[in-house]
Structures are given as structure tokens and as C-alpha cells.
Short mmCIF file of all heavy atoms in Angstrom, two decimals:
data_model
loop_
_atom_site.label_atom_id
_atom_site.label_comp_id
_atom_site.label_asym_id
_atom_site.label_seq_id
_atom_site.Cartn_x
_atom_site.Cartn_y
_atom_site.Cartn_z
N PHE A 128 14.99 -3.58 8.39
CA PHE A 128 16.06 -2.73 7.88
C PHE A 128 16.08 -2.69 6.36
O PHE A 128 16.63 -1.77 5.76
CB PHE A 128 17.42 -3.19 8.42
CG PHE A 128 17.81 -4.57 7.98
CD1 PHE A 128 18.49 -4.78 6.79
CD2 PHE A 128 17.50 -5.66 8.77
CE1 PHE A 128 18.85 -6.05 6.39
CE2 PHE A 128 17.85 -6.95 8.38
CZ PHE A 128 18.53 -7.13 7.18
N SER A 129 15.50 -3.68 5.74
CA SER A 129 15.49 -3.76 4.28
C SER A 129 14.26 -3.13 3.65
O SER A 129 14.14 -3.11 2.42
CB SER A 129 15.59 -5.22 3.83
OG SER A 129 14.47 -5.96 4.26
N THR A 130 13.36 -2.60 4.45
CA THR A 130 12.12 -2.02 3.94
C THR A 130 12.36 -0.59 3.47
O THR A 130 12.80 0.25 4.25
CB THR A 130 11.04 -2.03 5.03
OG1 THR A 130 10.81 -3.39 5.45
CG2 THR A 130 9.73 -1.45 4.50
N TYR A 131 12.06 -0.31 2.20
CA TYR A 131 12.27 1.04 1.69
C TYR A 131 11.00 1.86 1.63
O TYR A 131 11.06 3.09 1.58
CB TYR A 131 12.96 1.02 0.32
CG TYR A 131 12.21 0.30 -0.77
CD1 TYR A 131 11.25 0.96 -1.53
CD2 TYR A 131 12.48 -1.03 -1.07
CE1 TYR A 131 10.57 0.32 -2.55
CE2 TYR A 131 11.81 -1.69 -2.08
CZ TYR A 131 10.85 -1.01 -2.82
OH TYR A 131 10.18 -1.65 -3.83
N ASN A 132 9.84 1.22 1.59
CA ASN A 132 8.60 1.96 1.72
C ASN A 132 7.53 1.09 2.34
O ASN A 132 7.66 -0.14 2.42
CB ASN A 132 8.13 2.55 0.38
CG ASN A 132 7.64 1.51 -0.62
OD1 ASN A 132 7.55 0.31 -0.33
ND2 ASN A 132 7.32 1.97 -1.82
N MET A 133 6.49 1.73 2.82
CA MET A 133 5.30 1.05 3.32
C MET A 133 4.09 1.84 2.87
O MET A 133 4.20 3.01 2.51
CB MET A 133 5.32 0.92 4.84
CG MET A 133 6.40 -0.02 5.36
SD MET A 133 6.47 -0.13 7.18
CE MET A 133 4.89 -0.91 7.52
N GLY A 134 2.96 1.19 2.88
CA GLY A 134 1.77 1.89 2.44
C GLY A 134 0.52 1.08 2.66
O GLY A 134 0.52 0.06 3.35
N TRP A 135 -0.56 1.57 2.05
CA TRP A 135 -1.88 0.99 2.24
C TRP A 135 -2.58 0.77 0.91
O TRP A 135 -2.49 1.59 -0.01
CB TRP A 135 -2.75 1.90 3.12
CG TRP A 135 -2.22 2.07 4.50
CD1 TRP A 135 -1.36 3.04 4.94
CD2 TRP A 135 -2.52 1.26 5.63
NE1 TRP A 135 -1.10 2.87 6.28
CE2 TRP A 135 -1.80 1.78 6.73
CE3 TRP A 135 -3.32 0.13 5.83
CZ2 TRP A 135 -1.87 1.22 8.00
CZ3 TRP A 135 -3.38 -0.43 7.09
CH2 TRP A 135 -2.66 0.12 8.16
N PHE A 136 -3.26 -0.35 0.83
CA PHE A 136 -4.13 -0.69 -0.28
C PHE A 136 -5.50 -1.05 0.29
O PHE A 136 -5.64 -1.28 1.49
CB PHE A 136 -3.57 -1.87 -1.07
CG PHE A 136 -2.25 -1.58 -1.74
CD1 PHE A 136 -1.07 -1.53 -1.01
CD2 PHE A 136 -2.19 -1.37 -3.11
CE1 PHE A 136 0.14 -1.27 -1.62
CE2 PHE A 136 -0.97 -1.10 -3.73
CZ PHE A 136 0.18 -1.05 -2.98
N ARG A 137 -6.50 -1.10 -0.57
CA ARG A 137 -7.82 -1.49 -0.11
C ARG A 137 -8.54 -2.28 -1.20
O ARG A 137 -8.25 -2.13 -2.38
CB ARG A 137 -8.66 -0.28 0.31
CG ARG A 137 -9.03 0.67 -0.82
CD ARG A 137 -9.73 1.90 -0.26
NE ARG A 137 -10.16 2.81 -1.31
CZ ARG A 137 -10.70 4.01 -1.09
NH1 ARG A 137 -10.88 4.44 0.15
NH2 ARG A 137 -11.07 4.78 -2.11
N GLN A 138 -9.48 -3.10 -0.77
CA GLN A 138 -10.24 -3.91 -1.70
C GLN A 138 -11.68 -4.01 -1.22
O GLN A 138 -11.95 -4.51 -0.13
CB GLN A 138 -9.64 -5.30 -1.85
CG GLN A 138 -10.27 -6.13 -2.94
CD GLN A 138 -9.45 -7.36 -3.28
OE1 GLN A 138 -8.60 -7.78 -2.52
NE2 GLN A 138 -9.71 -7.92 -4.45
N ALA A 139 -12.59 -3.51 -2.03
CA ALA A 139 -14.01 -3.60 -1.75
C ALA A 139 -14.58 -4.85 -2.41
O ALA A 139 -14.01 -5.35 -3.39
CB ALA A 139 -14.73 -2.35 -2.26
N PRO A 140 -15.71 -5.36 -1.92
CA PRO A 140 -16.31 -6.55 -2.53
C PRO A 140 -16.58 -6.36 -4.02
O PRO A 140 -17.15 -5.35 -4.43
CB PRO A 140 -17.61 -6.71 -1.75
CG PRO A 140 -17.33 -6.09 -0.42
CD PRO A 140 -16.45 -4.91 -0.73
N GLY A 141 -16.14 -7.31 -4.81
CA GLY A 141 -16.36 -7.26 -6.25
C GLY A 141 -15.41 -6.35 -7.00
O GLY A 141 -15.56 -6.21 -8.22
N LYS A 142 -14.46 -5.74 -6.32
CA LYS A 142 -13.52 -4.84 -6.97
C LYS A 142 -12.09 -5.34 -6.80
O LYS A 142 -11.79 -6.13 -5.91
CB LYS A 142 -13.64 -3.42 -6.40
CG LYS A 142 -14.97 -2.74 -6.69
CD LYS A 142 -14.94 -1.30 -6.20
CE LYS A 142 -16.23 -0.58 -6.54
NZ LYS A 142 -16.20 0.84 -6.09
N GLU A 143 -11.21 -4.84 -7.67
CA GLU A 143 -9.81 -5.17 -7.57
C GLU A 143 -9.16 -4.39 -6.43
O GLU A 143 -9.64 -3.33 -6.04
CB GLU A 143 -9.08 -4.87 -8.87
CG GLU A 143 -9.53 -5.71 -10.05
CD GLU A 143 -8.74 -5.41 -11.30
OE1 GLU A 143 -8.01 -4.40 -11.33
OE2 GLU A 143 -8.85 -6.19 -12.26
N ARG A 144 -8.08 -4.94 -5.92
CA ARG A 144 -7.33 -4.23 -4.90
C ARG A 144 -6.72 -2.97 -5.50
O ARG A 144 -6.15 -3.00 -6.60
CB ARG A 144 -6.24 -5.13 -4.33
CG ARG A 144 -5.57 -4.57 -3.08
CD ARG A 144 -4.72 -5.65 -2.39
NE ARG A 144 -5.53 -6.78 -1.96
CZ ARG A 144 -5.07 -7.78 -1.23
NH1 ARG A 144 -3.80 -7.80 -0.84
NH2 ARG A 144 -5.88 -8.79 -0.90
N GLU A 145 -6.83 -1.84 -4.79
CA GLU A 145 -6.34 -0.58 -5.30
C GLU A 145 -5.40 0.10 -4.32
O GLU A 145 -5.51 -0.05 -3.10
CB GLU A 145 -7.50 0.36 -5.64
CG GLU A 145 -8.32 0.80 -4.45
CD GLU A 145 -9.41 1.80 -4.80
OE1 GLU A 145 -9.39 2.33 -5.93
OE2 GLU A 145 -10.28 2.05 -3.95
N PHE A 146 -4.49 0.86 -4.88
CA PHE A 146 -3.53 1.62 -4.09
C PHE A 146 -4.21 2.77 -3.38
O PHE A 146 -5.09 3.43 -3.94
CB PHE A 146 -2.42 2.14 -5.01
CG PHE A 146 -1.56 3.20 -4.38
CD1 PHE A 146 -0.60 2.86 -3.44
CD2 PHE A 146 -1.71 4.53 -4.73
CE1 PHE A 146 0.19 3.83 -2.86
CE2 PHE A 146 -0.94 5.50 -4.16
CZ PHE A 146 0.02 5.15 -3.22
N VAL A 147 -3.78 3.04 -2.15
CA VAL A 147 -4.32 4.15 -1.36
C VAL A 147 -3.27 5.19 -1.04
O VAL A 147 -3.43 6.37 -1.35
CB VAL A 147 -4.95 3.64 -0.05
CG1 VAL A 147 -5.43 4.81 0.81
CG2 VAL A 147 -6.12 2.70 -0.35
N ALA A 148 -2.17 4.78 -0.41
CA ALA A 148 -1.15 5.74 0.02
C ALA A 148 0.17 5.02 0.27
O ALA A 148 0.18 3.84 0.61
CB ALA A 148 -1.59 6.47 1.29
N GLN A 149 1.28 5.76 0.12
CA GLN A 149 2.58 5.20 0.43
C GLN A 149 3.45 6.21 1.16
O GLN A 149 3.28 7.42 1.01
CB GLN A 149 3.31 4.70 -0.82
CG GLN A 149 3.92 5.78 -1.69
CD GLN A 149 4.73 5.21 -2.83
OE1 GLN A 149 4.18 4.54 -3.72
NE2 GLN A 149 6.03 5.47 -2.82
N LEU A 150 4.40 5.68 1.92
CA LEU A 150 5.40 6.46 2.62
C LEU A 150 6.77 5.90 2.29
O LEU A 150 7.02 4.70 2.46
CB LEU A 150 5.16 6.40 4.14
CG LEU A 150 6.26 6.99 5.02
CD1 LEU A 150 6.30 8.51 4.88
CD2 LEU A 150 6.04 6.61 6.47
N ASN A 151 7.65 6.76 1.80
CA ASN A 151 9.02 6.37 1.51
C ASN A 151 9.89 6.71 2.72
O ASN A 151 9.96 7.86 3.13
CB ASN A 151 9.53 7.09 0.27
CG ASN A 151 8.70 6.80 -0.95
OD1 ASN A 151 8.47 5.65 -1.30
ND2 ASN A 151 8.24 7.85 -1.63
N TRP A 152 10.54 5.69 3.27
CA TRP A 152 11.29 5.90 4.50
C TRP A 152 12.50 6.79 4.32
O TRP A 152 12.88 7.50 5.25
CB TRP A 152 11.73 4.56 5.08
CG TRP A 152 10.62 3.76 5.69
CD1 TRP A 152 10.13 2.57 5.26
CD2 TRP A 152 9.85 4.11 6.85
NE1 TRP A 152 9.12 2.14 6.08
CE2 TRP A 152 8.92 3.07 7.05
CE3 TRP A 152 9.86 5.20 7.73
CZ2 TRP A 152 8.01 3.07 8.11
CZ3 TRP A 152 8.94 5.21 8.77
CH2 TRP A 152 8.04 4.16 8.95
#
């Protein structure tokens, strides 16, 4: 009930984690 958004990130070998997509509830 306290979650205001959810989304996805990804991380390839040797790279930093990066933002992919978000959904605002």
C-alpha cells in the first residue's frame, strides 16, 4: 500500500546498473 512506483533496471557484466522503465501507480 505504500508503494508509489515500480520499475525495472538492468546490469550487464562490467557495466553499472541502469534504469530501464518505470510505472507510477
Side-chain angles (χ1 to χ4, degrees):
F128 63 88
S129 63
T130 301
Y131 60 86
N132 70 5
M133 292 178 66
W135 297 91
F136 296 75
R137 66 186 183 185
Q138 188 167 18
K142 294 185 177 181
E143 295 183 348
R144 191 168 299 186
E145 65 176 348
F146 166 76
V147 176
Q149 76 175 64
L150 171 69
N151 301 307
W152 288 115

